[in-house]
Amino acid sequence: EVDGQLMYRGTGAEGLHPKEGSVIYVSPSEEFASERAAFLHKDKAVTHAVRVRVKNTFDYENEDHIARLNALLDTPASIKTRGEEIAHLNPGANPAEINVLLRQMVAGRLRMIRRGEWNAIESFHIKQALQKLGFDSFYVREVVDGKSYKNLGVFDSSKVASEVTDVPPERSD
């Protein structure tokens, strides 16, 4: 359960909440948030302790969540659109080849989502589908230096509130 949990957000000059409509990313690991902020924002990096207030988080380890997402993504209209995209990218492919590529793409996407891979879950189409399904947030798995973190993306920035005064990340000068 995430609601009310203390987490950390690494930011730069944009502060705790970036432009409207952006997903707010937080981590249960202060170390991860601080290192990410320092990497992305250099000398303007700040790590915020935050409280997250979400009620319906997509979890890549929950098979019901995966099934609901997959059902939405695999509608006839969605499959037709993906097939057209594949045909556009492969102009010489015949319909049978396009179907093979489409099946491979769908299977690969599903594998990546089941593993929690951030680059699959954070794609525009997946985030849009998660919101359509009523999720207010989503977990992603990020691996840094061999260490795995289960981080959280929150769709509504008002659901992430500062807990304490901002703390600059430690520097090793």
Side-chain angles (χ1 to χ4, degrees), residues 69-158:
L69 176 62
N70 203 40
L72 180 63
L73 295 173
D74 288 345
T75 63
S78 177
I79 291 170
K80 182 177 186 274
T81 300
R82 298 295 164 265
E84 289 168 354
E85 290 172 359
I86 290 171
H88 177 74
L89 294 171
N90 300 277
N94 66 44
E97 292 169 326
I98 290 171
N99 282 333
V100 168
L101 291 170
L102 181 60
R103 282 195 305 277
Q104 290 172 343
M105 184 194 80
V106 169
R109 177 193 68 207
L110 189 58
R111 274 193 307 277
M112 291 174 70
I113 291 170
R114 276 202 167 100
R115 289 191 301 249
E117 292 185 28
W118 67 268
N119 53 336
I121 296 172
E122 291 181 17
S123 74
F124 174 77
H125 293 295
I126 301 299
K127 290 188 297 189
Q128 191 177 47
L130 293 176
Q131 287 182 295
K132 193 172 191 176
L133 288 169
F135 290 107
D136 57 5
S137 53
F138 55 91
Y139 284 118
V140 293
R141 185 175 68 89
E142 297 184 73
V143 179
V144 177
D145 296 331
K147 189 171 180 183
S148 181
Y149 299 90
K150 191 172 186 178
N151 295 327
L152 182 72
V154 180
F155 290 118
D156 181 353
S157 64
S158 71

Side-chain angles (χ1 to χ4, degrees), residues 24-67:
I24 304 294
Y25 292 97
V26 296
S27 178
S29 167
E30 184 176 10
E31 175 188 23
F32 177 89
S34 294
E35 287 179 8
R36 177 57 53 96
F39 175 75
L40 293 174
H41 304 289
K42 311 293 183 253
D43 61 342
K44 295 180 180 162
V46 177
T47 301
H48 307 267
V50 297
R51 289 279 172 196
V52 178
R53 304 270 180 216
V54 293
K55 303 270 189 222
N56 192 19
T57 302
F58 173 81
D59 189 344
Y60 57 84
E61 294 178 315
N62 182 319
E63 278 303 316
D64 178 57
H65 290 186
I66 296 287

